[in-house]
Amino acid sequence: MGRRKKGLPVSGWVVVDKPLGPTSTHVVSKVRRAFNAQKAGHAGTLDPLGSGILPVALGEATKTVPYLVDATKDYRFAVHWGEQRDTDDREGDVTATSDVRPTKDAILAALPKYVGEISQIPPKYSAIKVNGERAYDLARDGEDVELKARTVEIHDLKLIDQPSNDEAVFEMTCGKGTYVRSLARDLAQDLGTFGHVAMLRRLRVGPFSEEDAVALDTITEFPTQIAVETAPDMGNSPPAPDPKAPFLLPLETALDDIPALAVSGNDAARLKQGQAVLSRGRDAPIVKGTICAMLHGQPIALCEARQGELHPTRVFNLPA
């Protein structure tokens, strides 16, 4: 017999308002334990220095993580002028200083250069792998890490506040792989000074915003009892209401940009077996690219629509 997985087959998304301090991995572990879920993952690392939106996937929702990792993200961050730090944020050691403090006009004039597709060198203290090792591990060991520039896309970047001559606050909408720390470092250099990230908050990841987010303490302070539909029925009394249910968003919430297509029961069975199904006929909709096949409002599989057929790429094993 196969080894039974520990935990319950809970599936869905929990949008955590990550506090300052813990790592993203630590947050995922706490959410997984709170829901007693069999598996969990997150959609995009948020540094310990950063707070804000950290979407945590449970169960079958982990299969949709790549789609959320590729989604656009919104950040609010503060740059402290006059200090260069080896981590490009306030946690690092000061490596250089400058007395130059950019004016508001100078900052506004420099921002357009950073909107659109730009070339960016990631921070040395990042999770990028170099010859199989994480860059931050090599940097901590004293090695001179040289990372290659990469192309990222910034959709919008604006100055929203200048609380002092030493600091400016920005908001940014960007695509996958953009490093706020690199932006702060490069912008400061263009302004004739040094700079590092003093504050970072993620405001949105794809469809998930602060309105959806729940504080980590709120999740973990609830009783551990969770499974309403997944707990075994002992034939005694009905299961108690699940206090965490409002925090658990449906798997398909992360797929709001992917069109849904209703399929028949027979086609759903074939898709679950990894087989392609026809999407032809007089009344069949014309679909292209990635679609989410649905049966009675429940996601069955993510599929690629090609030449009148749906080819399953990720199959969901949700309870009926």
Side-chain angles (χ1 to χ4, degrees):
M1 293 180 62
R3 190 174 182 179
R4 185 177 179 181
K5 293 181 179 179
K6 292 183 179 180
L8 298 166
V10 181
S11 292
W13 284 94
V14 181
V15 184
V16 180
D17 190 337
K18 177 192 166 306
L20 297 174
T23 65
S24 297
T25 301
H26 181 67
V27 171
V28 170
S29 296
K30 296 190 76 169
V31 173
R32 179 178 179 176
R33 285 196 300 270
F35 281 84
N36 193 21
Q38 290 177 348
K39 55 183 177 179
H42 65 75
T45 299
L46 194 54
D47 292 338
L49 171 71
S51 67
I53 305 304
L54 181 67
V56 177
L58 300 177
E60 292 297 285
T62 57
K63 296 177 181 178
T64 66
V65 164
Y67 294 90
L68 208 58
V69 169
D70 289 343
T72 58
K73 301 172 180 67
D74 292 347
Y75 292 93
R76 181 183 299 122
F77 61 97
V79 179
H80 184 90
W81 309 116
E83 286 185 350
Q84 177 177 291
R85 301 205 176 198
D86 55 4
T87 59
D88 295 316
D89 63 26
R90 71 171 186 234
E91 295 186 330
D93 296 327
V94 177
T95 57
T97 61
S98 170
D99 293 331
V100 175
R101 299 295 183 267
T103 65
K104 179 179 179 179
D105 288 344
I107 295 171
L108 292 175
L111 293 186
K113 174 183 175 180
Y114 293 92
V115 177
E117 288 192 352
I118 67 169
S119 180
Q120 186 183 75
I121 298 177
K124 293 181 178 180
Y125 285 81
S126 64
I128 294 174
K129 286 192 174 182
V130 180
N131 298 323
E133 299 286 338
R134 297 290 184 185
Y136 55 67
D137 287 332
L138 297 173
R140 286 169 186 156
D141 290 340
E143 295 192 31
D144 187 14
V145 180
E146 290 189 10
L147 299 177
K148 295 181 180 179
R150 55 173 59 186
T151 300
V152 298
E153 186 169 10
I154 296 177
H155 304 282
D156 188 37
L157 177 62
K158 55 190 177 185
L159 174 68
I160 63 169
D161 194 16
Q162 279 186 288
S164 71
N165 288 335
D166 292 329
E167 196 167 279
V169 182
F170 302 86
E171 286 190 357
M172 175 177 73
T173 299
C174 60
K176 176 183 177 182
T178 305
Y179 278 93
V180 177
R181 288 178 289 153
S182 295
L183 174 64
R185 176 198 67 209
D186 296 344
L187 177 61
Q189 289 177 357
D190 279 351
L191 292 168
T193 185
F194 299 112
H196 64 269
V197 173
M199 178 276 292
L200 173 67
R201 180 167 177 80
R202 190 152 64 189
L203 308 175
R204 183 180 64 86
V205 177
F208 298 136
S209 67
E210 291 179 300
E211 295 178 357
D212 306 303
V214 182
L216 183 61
D217 287 345
T218 302
I219 297 169
T220 57
E221 285 174 1
F222 271 93
T224 55
Q225 151 193 307
I226 168 172
V228 174
E229 296 182 356
T230 57
D233 185 1
M234 304 305 293
N236 298 322
S237 58
D242 173 19
K244 296 187 184 68
F247 307 154
L248 190 63
L249 302 178
L251 173 157
E252 60 269 25
T253 313
L255 306 174
D256 68 335
D257 290 335
I258 296 177
L261 179 66
V263 298
S264 68
N266 288 337
D267 283 348
R270 288 177 59 85
L271 290 172
K272 280 183 169 290
Q273 294 173 1
Q275 301 174 13
V277 300
L278 292 174
S279 178
R280 296 196 182 105
R282 185 181 62 184
D283 298 325
I286 299 174
V287 291
K288 296 180 180 179
T290 301
I291 67 101
C292 184
M294 307 282 289
L295 177 64
H296 305 314
Q298 185 179 72
I300 298 300
L302 287 171
C303 306
E304 288 298 319
R306 301 194 302 268
Q307 298 179 333
E309 289 186 333
L310 302 180
H311 296 262
T313 55
R314 283 182 173 85
V315 175
F316 303 120
N317 298 306
L318 297 169

